[in-house]
Amino acid sequence: MELIIGKNYEDMSKSAADIIAELIRLKPNCVLGLATGGTPIGTYKELIRMHIEEGLDFSGVKTFNLDEYLGIGLDLQKPYTQDQSYARFMHEELFKHLNIKKENIHIPDGLAKDPQKFCSHYEEEIKKAGGIDLQLLGIGGDGHWAFNEPGSSLYSRTRVQPLSKQTLEDNFESFYKKSGIKKEDMPHFAITMGVGTILESRHALMIANGKKKAEIISKALEGSISWEVTATAIQLHPGKTTVILDKDAASKLTWTAKE
Ligand code: PGA
């Protein structure tokens, strides 16, 4: 595993974007696995800058997103659902700024009529695309990868998953702040790629920043592998593995005292 510790969020974001851009230049038709949340926003901003200022070309790139809340998506009438869907997030924070082809974007469909069937279809689509070259990952406060909440099998595949209490707490703020949604009205389920699906990516790139993530990052990288913290599966990733942190997120690691 390669561990990069940046000075701050901007540093972390720039390093992550550089790795992704290098892959796109090397393999213009690469398959990227993408993540949502506060952590990757800086990485996406930098990729957008590279596209605009340096001509980084996304026309051949295919993407698969990790997850989506069940029951919301871009098409629903209720305004809050539109605001909070990860499809909306990806469109606003990344895709609408790039020359990526619409048909090359894949995001779990939170409005699928038959979500189980959709999950099998999603796995098939990833296979058909030739597998994921690089999977960008954050880490949740409860140690989740995507929405693989504590108790998810490390062999799990794309499926419908109930959200943990902590995830509901962590994500409540964005639902409430943006749209005044009460906790009981938040989606309590999600479609998520499985840990097993993620582990098949050829390069896993995990990013985390801030003091809030220090404890869980130390558990994920230095703790015992366990379904209690599904991000510990990074220790099992057979392909290339990179972790990029800022100083704060790295502050509880014991084996990185050197800098
Ligand atoms: P965050 O979420 O980037 O908003 O902290 C990370 C995650 O839940 O995976």
PDB file of all heavy atoms in Angstrom, residues 35-41 66-67 86 137-147 167 170-171 207-209 212-213, ligand 1:
ATOM      1  N   ALA A  35     -17.027   8.206  -6.088  1.00  0.00           N
ATOM      2  CA  ALA A  35     -17.641   8.280  -4.764  1.00  0.00           C
ATOM      3  C   ALA A  35     -18.315   9.645  -4.582  1.00  0.00           C
ATOM      4  O   ALA A  35     -17.974  10.611  -5.270  1.00  0.00           O
ATOM      5  CB  ALA A  35     -16.553   8.104  -3.700  1.00  0.00           C
ATOM      6  N   THR A  36     -19.230   9.704  -3.640  1.00  0.00           N
ATOM      7  CA  THR A  36     -19.869  10.981  -3.291  1.00  0.00           C
ATOM      8  C   THR A  36     -19.460  11.365  -1.868  1.00  0.00           C
ATOM      9  O   THR A  36     -18.719  10.636  -1.217  1.00  0.00           O
ATOM     10  CB  THR A  36     -21.403  10.854  -3.382  1.00  0.00           C
ATOM     11  OG1 THR A  36     -21.782   9.699  -2.650  1.00  0.00           O
ATOM     12  CG2 THR A  36     -21.861  10.751  -4.805  1.00  0.00           C
ATOM     13  N   GLY A  37     -19.953  12.504  -1.399  1.00  0.00           N
ATOM     14  CA  GLY A  37     -19.622  12.948  -0.039  1.00  0.00           C
ATOM     15  C   GLY A  37     -18.800  14.211  -0.084  1.00  0.00           C
ATOM     16  O   GLY A  37     -18.421  14.695  -1.173  1.00  0.00           O
ATOM     17  N   GLY A  38     -18.495  14.740   1.103  1.00  0.00           N
ATOM     18  CA  GLY A  38     -17.723  15.975   1.171  1.00  0.00           C
ATOM     19  C   GLY A  38     -16.277  15.744   0.753  1.00  0.00           C
ATOM     20  O   GLY A  38     -15.643  16.625   0.150  1.00  0.00           O
ATOM     21  N   THR A  39     -15.733  14.563   1.039  1.00  0.00           N
ATOM     22  CA  THR A  39     -14.307  14.324   0.809  1.00  0.00           C
ATOM     23  C   THR A  39     -13.885  14.488  -0.654  1.00  0.00           C
ATOM     24  O   THR A  39     -12.897  15.170  -0.920  1.00  0.00           O
ATOM     25  CB  THR A  39     -13.902  12.931   1.341  1.00  0.00           C
ATOM     26  OG1 THR A  39     -14.516  12.729   2.612  1.00  0.00           O
ATOM     27  CG2 THR A  39     -12.401  12.804   1.458  1.00  0.00           C
ATOM     28  N   PRO A  40     -14.578  13.893  -1.622  1.00  0.00           N
ATOM     29  CA  PRO A  40     -14.059  13.972  -3.002  1.00  0.00           C
ATOM     30  C   PRO A  40     -14.333  15.285  -3.743  1.00  0.00           C
ATOM     31  O   PRO A  40     -13.863  15.443  -4.873  1.00  0.00           O
ATOM     32  CB  PRO A  40     -14.767  12.807  -3.720  1.00  0.00           C
ATOM     33  CG  PRO A  40     -15.991  12.546  -2.947  1.00  0.00           C
ATOM     34  CD  PRO A  40     -15.741  12.978  -1.532  1.00  0.00           C
ATOM     35  N   ILE A  41     -15.037  16.220  -3.117  1.00  0.00           N
ATOM     36  CA  ILE A  41     -15.391  17.448  -3.851  1.00  0.00           C
ATOM     37  C   ILE A  41     -14.136  18.180  -4.366  1.00  0.00           C
ATOM     38  O   ILE A  41     -14.090  18.619  -5.520  1.00  0.00           O
ATOM     39  CB  ILE A  41     -16.281  18.376  -2.990  1.00  0.00           C
ATOM     40  CG1 ILE A  41     -17.683  17.762  -2.868  1.00  0.00           C
ATOM     41  CG2 ILE A  41     -16.380  19.777  -3.592  1.00  0.00           C
ATOM     42  CD1 ILE A  41     -18.664  18.541  -2.024  1.00  0.00           C
ATOM     43  N   LEU A  66     -20.479   4.416  -6.621  1.00  0.00           N
ATOM     44  CA  LEU A  66     -20.567   3.401  -5.566  1.00  0.00           C
ATOM     45  C   LEU A  66     -21.986   3.149  -5.080  1.00  0.00           C
ATOM     46  O   LEU A  66     -22.337   2.017  -4.760  1.00  0.00           O
ATOM     47  CB  LEU A  66     -19.744   3.864  -4.346  1.00  0.00           C
ATOM     48  CG  LEU A  66     -18.235   3.767  -4.436  1.00  0.00           C
ATOM     49  CD1 LEU A  66     -17.601   4.502  -3.254  1.00  0.00           C
ATOM     50  CD2 LEU A  66     -17.788   2.308  -4.442  1.00  0.00           C
ATOM     51  N   ASP A  67     -22.793   4.230  -4.962  1.00  0.00           N
ATOM     52  CA  ASP A  67     -24.045   4.032  -4.231  1.00  0.00           C
ATOM     53  C   ASP A  67     -25.066   5.128  -4.508  1.00  0.00           C
ATOM     54  O   ASP A  67     -24.744   6.156  -5.117  1.00  0.00           O
ATOM     55  CB  ASP A  67     -23.780   3.933  -2.711  1.00  0.00           C
ATOM     56  CG  ASP A  67     -22.811   5.016  -2.210  1.00  0.00           C
ATOM     57  OD1 ASP A  67     -22.544   5.984  -2.953  1.00  0.00           O
ATOM     58  OD2 ASP A  67     -22.326   4.894  -1.075  1.00  0.00           O
ATOM     59  N   TYR A  86     -27.588  11.144  -5.094  1.00  0.00           N
ATOM     60  CA  TYR A  86     -26.174  11.136  -5.468  1.00  0.00           C
ATOM     61  C   TYR A  86     -26.023  11.362  -6.972  1.00  0.00           C
ATOM     62  O   TYR A  86     -24.984  11.830  -7.440  1.00  0.00           O
ATOM     63  CB  TYR A  86     -25.520   9.825  -5.019  1.00  0.00           C
ATOM     64  CG  TYR A  86     -25.249   9.784  -3.526  1.00  0.00           C
ATOM     65  CD1 TYR A  86     -24.825   8.617  -2.904  1.00  0.00           C
ATOM     66  CD2 TYR A  86     -25.390  10.925  -2.733  1.00  0.00           C
ATOM     67  CE1 TYR A  86     -24.559   8.577  -1.537  1.00  0.00           C
ATOM     68  CE2 TYR A  86     -25.124  10.894  -1.372  1.00  0.00           C
ATOM     69  CZ  TYR A  86     -24.711   9.717  -0.783  1.00  0.00           C
ATOM     70  OH  TYR A  86     -24.437   9.681   0.565  1.00  0.00           O
ATOM     71  N   LEU A 137     -12.482   6.082  -3.206  1.00  0.00           N
ATOM     72  CA  LEU A 137     -13.254   5.723  -2.014  1.00  0.00           C
ATOM     73  C   LEU A 137     -13.071   6.757  -0.916  1.00  0.00           C
ATOM     74  O   LEU A 137     -11.953   7.252  -0.716  1.00  0.00           O
ATOM     75  CB  LEU A 137     -12.752   4.382  -1.448  1.00  0.00           C
ATOM     76  CG  LEU A 137     -12.954   3.146  -2.317  1.00  0.00           C
ATOM     77  CD1 LEU A 137     -11.911   2.102  -1.980  1.00  0.00           C
ATOM     78  CD2 LEU A 137     -14.363   2.600  -2.127  1.00  0.00           C
ATOM     79  N   GLY A 138     -14.144   7.058  -0.200  1.00  0.00           N
ATOM     80  CA  GLY A 138     -14.018   7.796   1.053  1.00  0.00           C
ATOM     81  C   GLY A 138     -14.123   6.777   2.185  1.00  0.00           C
ATOM     82  O   GLY A 138     -13.987   5.571   1.973  1.00  0.00           O
ATOM     83  N   ILE A 139     -14.373   7.261   3.361  1.00  0.00           N
ATOM     84  CA  ILE A 139     -14.636   6.354   4.484  1.00  0.00           C
ATOM     85  C   ILE A 139     -15.688   7.030   5.365  1.00  0.00           C
ATOM     86  O   ILE A 139     -15.582   8.230   5.659  1.00  0.00           O
ATOM     87  CB  ILE A 139     -13.342   6.001   5.268  1.00  0.00           C
ATOM     88  CG1 ILE A 139     -13.637   5.019   6.408  1.00  0.00           C
ATOM     89  CG2 ILE A 139     -12.645   7.251   5.799  1.00  0.00           C
ATOM     90  CD1 ILE A 139     -12.374   4.431   7.055  1.00  0.00           C
ATOM     91  N   GLY A 140     -16.692   6.283   5.755  1.00  0.00           N
ATOM     92  CA  GLY A 140     -17.749   6.858   6.592  1.00  0.00           C
ATOM     93  C   GLY A 140     -17.330   6.918   8.059  1.00  0.00           C
ATOM     94  O   GLY A 140     -16.358   6.261   8.457  1.00  0.00           O
ATOM     95  N   GLY A 141     -18.043   7.684   8.824  1.00  0.00           N
ATOM     96  CA  GLY A 141     -17.761   7.786  10.256  1.00  0.00           C
ATOM     97  C   GLY A 141     -17.840   6.427  10.955  1.00  0.00           C
ATOM     98  O   GLY A 141     -17.159   6.183  11.958  1.00  0.00           O
ATOM     99  N   ASP A 142     -18.675   5.523  10.435  1.00  0.00           N
ATOM    100  CA  ASP A 142     -18.774   4.177  11.014  1.00  0.00           C
ATOM    101  C   ASP A 142     -17.837   3.192  10.312  1.00  0.00           C
ATOM    102  O   ASP A 142     -17.938   1.987  10.512  1.00  0.00           O
ATOM    103  CB  ASP A 142     -20.231   3.675  10.956  1.00  0.00           C
ATOM    104  CG  ASP A 142     -20.746   3.519   9.519  1.00  0.00           C
ATOM    105  OD1 ASP A 142     -19.985   3.831   8.566  1.00  0.00           O
ATOM    106  OD2 ASP A 142     -21.902   3.089   9.346  1.00  0.00           O
ATOM    107  N   GLY A 143     -16.934   3.720   9.487  1.00  0.00           N
ATOM    108  CA  GLY A 143     -15.942   2.874   8.827  1.00  0.00           C
ATOM    109  C   GLY A 143     -16.444   2.251   7.542  1.00  0.00           C
ATOM    110  O   GLY A 143     -15.798   1.364   6.988  1.00  0.00           O
ATOM    111  N   HIS A 144     -17.597   2.710   7.050  1.00  0.00           N
ATOM    112  CA  HIS A 144     -18.119   2.073   5.830  1.00  0.00           C
ATOM    113  C   HIS A 144     -17.358   2.508   4.585  1.00  0.00           C
ATOM    114  O   HIS A 144     -16.829   3.600   4.509  1.00  0.00           O
ATOM    115  CB  HIS A 144     -19.630   2.305   5.674  1.00  0.00           C
ATOM    116  CG  HIS A 144     -20.049   3.717   5.408  1.00  0.00           C
ATOM    117  ND1 HIS A 144     -21.298   4.185   5.716  1.00  0.00           N
ATOM    118  CD2 HIS A 144     -19.404   4.771   4.841  1.00  0.00           C
ATOM    119  CE1 HIS A 144     -21.399   5.448   5.344  1.00  0.00           C
ATOM    120  NE2 HIS A 144     -20.266   5.831   4.817  1.00  0.00           N
ATOM    121  N   TRP A 145     -17.369   1.598   3.635  1.00  0.00           N
ATOM    122  CA  TRP A 145     -16.975   1.849   2.259  1.00  0.00           C
ATOM    123  C   TRP A 145     -18.263   1.860   1.464  1.00  0.00           C
ATOM    124  O   TRP A 145     -19.034   0.890   1.562  1.00  0.00           O
ATOM    125  CB  TRP A 145     -16.119   0.699   1.752  1.00  0.00           C
ATOM    126  CG  TRP A 145     -14.664   0.973   1.631  1.00  0.00           C
ATOM    127  CD1 TRP A 145     -13.989   2.114   1.932  1.00  0.00           C
ATOM    128  CD2 TRP A 145     -13.685   0.039   1.154  1.00  0.00           C
ATOM    129  NE1 TRP A 145     -12.657   1.963   1.674  1.00  0.00           N
ATOM    130  CE2 TRP A 145     -12.445   0.689   1.192  1.00  0.00           C
ATOM    131  CE3 TRP A 145     -13.730  -1.272   0.712  1.00  0.00           C
ATOM    132  CZ2 TRP A 145     -11.260   0.075   0.793  1.00  0.00           C
ATOM    133  CZ3 TRP A 145     -12.568  -1.881   0.318  1.00  0.00           C
ATOM    134  CH2 TRP A 145     -11.346  -1.221   0.347  1.00  0.00           C
ATOM    135  N   ALA A 146     -18.481   2.884   0.690  1.00  0.00           N
ATOM    136  CA  ALA A 146     -19.786   3.065   0.042  1.00  0.00           C
ATOM    137  C   ALA A 146     -20.824   2.978   1.160  1.00  0.00           C
ATOM    138  O   ALA A 146     -20.617   3.554   2.232  1.00  0.00           O
ATOM    139  CB  ALA A 146     -20.009   2.032  -1.058  1.00  0.00           C
ATOM    140  N   PHE A 147     -21.922   2.234   0.960  1.00  0.00           N
ATOM    141  CA  PHE A 147     -22.872   2.060   2.068  1.00  0.00           C
ATOM    142  C   PHE A 147     -22.781   0.647   2.639  1.00  0.00           C
ATOM    143  O   PHE A 147     -23.779   0.079   3.079  1.00  0.00           O
ATOM    144  CB  PHE A 147     -24.294   2.392   1.622  1.00  0.00           C
ATOM    145  CG  PHE A 147     -24.630   3.863   1.687  1.00  0.00           C
ATOM    146  CD1 PHE A 147     -25.232   4.503   0.621  1.00  0.00           C
ATOM    147  CD2 PHE A 147     -24.355   4.613   2.831  1.00  0.00           C
ATOM    148  CE1 PHE A 147     -25.563   5.860   0.681  1.00  0.00           C
ATOM    149  CE2 PHE A 147     -24.672   5.974   2.889  1.00  0.00           C
ATOM    150  CZ  PHE A 147     -25.273   6.597   1.820  1.00  0.00           C
ATOM    151  N   THR A 167     -24.677   6.462  10.168  1.00  0.00           N
ATOM    152  CA  THR A 167     -24.747   7.061   8.827  1.00  0.00           C
ATOM    153  C   THR A 167     -25.934   8.009   8.737  1.00  0.00           C
ATOM    154  O   THR A 167     -25.831   9.110   8.182  1.00  0.00           O
ATOM    155  CB  THR A 167     -24.849   5.955   7.751  1.00  0.00           C
ATOM    156  OG1 THR A 167     -23.640   5.200   7.789  1.00  0.00           O
ATOM    157  CG2 THR A 167     -25.037   6.528   6.368  1.00  0.00           C
ATOM    158  N   ASP A 170     -24.846  11.069  10.500  1.00  0.00           N
ATOM    159  CA  ASP A 170     -23.818  11.798   9.742  1.00  0.00           C
ATOM    160  C   ASP A 170     -24.428  12.536   8.547  1.00  0.00           C
ATOM    161  O   ASP A 170     -24.008  13.639   8.202  1.00  0.00           O
ATOM    162  CB  ASP A 170     -22.746  10.835   9.204  1.00  0.00           C
ATOM    163  CG  ASP A 170     -21.840  10.300  10.306  1.00  0.00           C
ATOM    164  OD1 ASP A 170     -21.913  10.827  11.440  1.00  0.00           O
ATOM    165  OD2 ASP A 170     -21.077   9.350  10.044  1.00  0.00           O
ATOM    166  N   ASN A 171     -25.388  11.887   7.892  1.00  0.00           N
ATOM    167  CA  ASN A 171     -25.919  12.460   6.649  1.00  0.00           C
ATOM    168  C   ASN A 171     -27.141  13.334   6.866  1.00  0.00           C
ATOM    169  O   ASN A 171     -27.590  14.024   5.959  1.00  0.00           O
ATOM    170  CB  ASN A 171     -26.227  11.346   5.637  1.00  0.00           C
ATOM    171  CG  ASN A 171     -24.968  10.612   5.219  1.00  0.00           C
ATOM    172  OD1 ASN A 171     -23.887  10.908   5.715  1.00  0.00           O
ATOM    173  ND2 ASN A 171     -25.083   9.668   4.332  1.00  0.00           N
ATOM    174  N   ILE A 207      -9.407   8.198   0.114  1.00  0.00           N
ATOM    175  CA  ILE A 207      -9.026   9.529   0.597  1.00  0.00           C
ATOM    176  C   ILE A 207      -9.817   9.862   1.871  1.00  0.00           C
ATOM    177  O   ILE A 207     -10.961   9.428   2.036  1.00  0.00           O
ATOM    178  CB  ILE A 207      -9.259  10.629  -0.480  1.00  0.00           C
ATOM    179  CG1 ILE A 207     -10.720  10.625  -0.976  1.00  0.00           C
ATOM    180  CG2 ILE A 207      -8.315  10.448  -1.647  1.00  0.00           C
ATOM    181  CD1 ILE A 207     -11.030  11.742  -1.976  1.00  0.00           C
ATOM    182  N   ALA A 208      -9.176  10.608   2.767  1.00  0.00           N
ATOM    183  CA  ALA A 208      -9.872  11.051   3.989  1.00  0.00           C
ATOM    184  C   ALA A 208      -9.174  12.282   4.532  1.00  0.00           C
ATOM    185  O   ALA A 208      -7.958  12.431   4.398  1.00  0.00           O
ATOM    186  CB  ALA A 208      -9.866   9.944   5.043  1.00  0.00           C
ATOM    187  N   ASN A 209      -9.951  13.161   5.131  1.00  0.00           N
ATOM    188  CA  ASN A 209      -9.361  14.377   5.710  1.00  0.00           C
ATOM    189  C   ASN A 209     -10.066  14.740   7.009  1.00  0.00           C
ATOM    190  O   ASN A 209     -11.206  14.331   7.247  1.00  0.00           O
ATOM    191  CB  ASN A 209      -9.471  15.545   4.713  1.00  0.00           C
ATOM    192  CG  ASN A 209     -10.906  15.981   4.535  1.00  0.00           C
ATOM    193  OD1 ASN A 209     -11.698  15.280   3.887  1.00  0.00           O
ATOM    194  ND2 ASN A 209     -11.266  17.114   5.104  1.00  0.00           N
ATOM    195  N   LYS A 212     -11.894  14.481  12.433  1.00  0.00           N
ATOM    196  CA  LYS A 212     -13.068  13.620  12.601  1.00  0.00           C
ATOM    197  C   LYS A 212     -12.844  12.207  12.056  1.00  0.00           C
ATOM    198  O   LYS A 212     -13.474  11.249  12.497  1.00  0.00           O
ATOM    199  CB  LYS A 212     -14.246  14.267  11.840  1.00  0.00           C
ATOM    200  CG  LYS A 212     -15.517  14.382  12.641  1.00  0.00           C
ATOM    201  CD  LYS A 212     -16.575  15.167  11.899  1.00  0.00           C
ATOM    202  CE  LYS A 212     -17.412  14.268  11.021  1.00  0.00           C
ATOM    203  NZ  LYS A 212     -18.412  14.982  10.239  1.00  0.00           N
ATOM    204  N   LYS A 213     -11.944  12.097  11.093  1.00  0.00           N
ATOM    205  CA  LYS A 213     -11.714  10.798  10.452  1.00  0.00           C
ATOM    206  C   LYS A 213     -10.489  10.062  11.027  1.00  0.00           C
ATOM    207  O   LYS A 213     -10.203   8.934  10.634  1.00  0.00           O
ATOM    208  CB  LYS A 213     -11.540  10.974   8.933  1.00  0.00           C
ATOM    209  CG  LYS A 213     -12.781  11.453   8.193  1.00  0.00           C
ATOM    210  CD  LYS A 213     -13.814  10.350   8.063  1.00  0.00           C
ATOM    211  CE  LYS A 213     -15.147  10.830   7.526  1.00  0.00           C
ATOM    212  NZ  LYS A 213     -15.134  11.103   6.107  1.00  0.00           N
TER     213      LYS A 213
HETATM  214  P1  PGA B   1     -17.811  12.188   3.562  1.00  0.00           P
HETATM  215  O1  PGA B   1     -18.469  10.729   3.450  1.00  0.00           O
HETATM  216  O2  PGA B   1     -16.872  12.303   2.403  1.00  0.00           O
HETATM  217  O3  PGA B   1     -18.967  13.128   3.428  1.00  0.00           O
HETATM  218  O4  PGA B   1     -17.128  12.253   4.874  1.00  0.00           O
HETATM  219  C1  PGA B   1     -17.634   9.644   3.268  1.00  0.00           C
HETATM  220  C2  PGA B   1     -18.428   8.359   3.212  1.00  0.00           C
HETATM  221  O5  PGA B   1     -19.500   8.284   3.827  1.00  0.00           O
HETATM  222  O6  PGA B   1     -17.949   7.420   2.564  1.00  0.00           O
END
